Amino acid sequence: CSPTLEALVDACPRLRPRHYSIASCSSERVELCVARAILETPLGRKVTGLCSSWLCDLREGTLLIGVRRGEFSPIEQDPLVFVGPGTGVAPARAFARSHPSDMLLFFGCRHESKDRLYADEFAGLAQLEVDVSVSRHTDSSQRRYVTKALRARSADVASWILDRNARFYIAGNAK
């Protein structure tokens, strides 16, 4: 059997759209937060994600078309409680840079040294409190997920929402 190139291409599944959150809040410039997917096959071969690698390899200033309206509603001056695991921190960064009110951010990452996105920038924002959870911490007693951090600080979260009228947002992979 010698299928044609057209038949081979037809047999391949279509790529599903990938949605990336915008990490900036400007009409002049759009910044994305993209983590290059690097996986290892069962045979030990490293492969990279098609879309994330393509985006990471783009030159700054490249124009991308295809914006989908987000799910977050416009915000007033209310405080925010935001849960942003991994690259889900992108909209939290946009809000923190453009929103003058207080914000409590629960950020989760695998490796603090490699994945703690925007750490230096967040440290310079006085209105922002960041609670970091590291799931692959070298010290196993320090490993935790964002859900555990939320449970541990449930009284704080309740106070932000009930006493301070904070809005609660969650962003991240929908898997």
Side-chain angles (χ1 to χ4, degrees):
C1 175
S2 299
T4 65
L5 178 59
E6 184 178 338
L8 287 173
V9 170
D10 283 344
C12 293
R14 290 190 182 268
L15 288 176
R16 293 184 340 264
R18 273 44 168 202
H19 302 288
Y20 295 90
S21 295
I22 295 173
S24 57
C25 205
S26 165
S27 59
E28 305 285 320
R29 177 183 177 99
V30 173
E31 296 176 31
L32 299 178
C33 180
V34 178
R36 185 186 305 260
I38 301 173
L39 310 165
E40 191 170 316
T41 69
L43 298 175
R45 186 173 148 244
K46 287 195 189 279
V47 294
T48 58
L50 180 66
C51 292
S52 63
S53 292
W54 182 79
L55 284 170
C56 288
D57 292 338
L58 286 177
R59 285 194 318 254
E60 186 173 328
T62 301
L63 178 64
L64 300 175
I65 307 287
V67 176
R68 181 180 71 121
R69 184 166 173 78
E71 302 296 324
F72 295 118
S73 60
I75 54 178
E76 304 298 323
Q77 299 302 317
D78 296 332
L80 300 175
V81 175
F82 206 106
V83 180
T87 56
V89 76
R93 177 187 183 237
F95 282 147
R97 294 173 86 195
S98 65
H99 189 68
S101 293
D102 291 341
M103 182 174 174
L104 173 59
L105 169 63
F106 290 90
F107 173 64
C109 60
R110 289 186 180 136
H111 306 280
E112 190 165 15
S113 61
K114 295 190 294 187
D115 303 328
R116 186 144 176 216
L117 306 171
Y118 307 117
D120 293 339
E121 184 176 326
F122 288 162
L125 297 174
Q127 82 279 14
L128 177 64
E129 179 185 344
V130 182
D131 187 309
V132 179
S133 296
V134 181
S135 64
R136 309 288 193 280
H137 201 286
T138 52
D139 178 355
S140 61
S141 69
Q142 297 296 310
R143 291 179 188 161
R144 73 175 183 162
Y145 290 90
V146 169
T147 51
K148 190 173 182 180
L150 283 166
R151 266 189 235 107
R153 298 201 48 193
S154 60
D156 289 339
V157 173
S159 175
W160 275 67
I161 293 169
L162 299 173
D163 300 334
R164 299 180 66 187
N165 198 34
R167 296 174 183 239
F168 188 88
Y169 290 96
I170 301 174
N173 195 332
K175 286 183 185 174

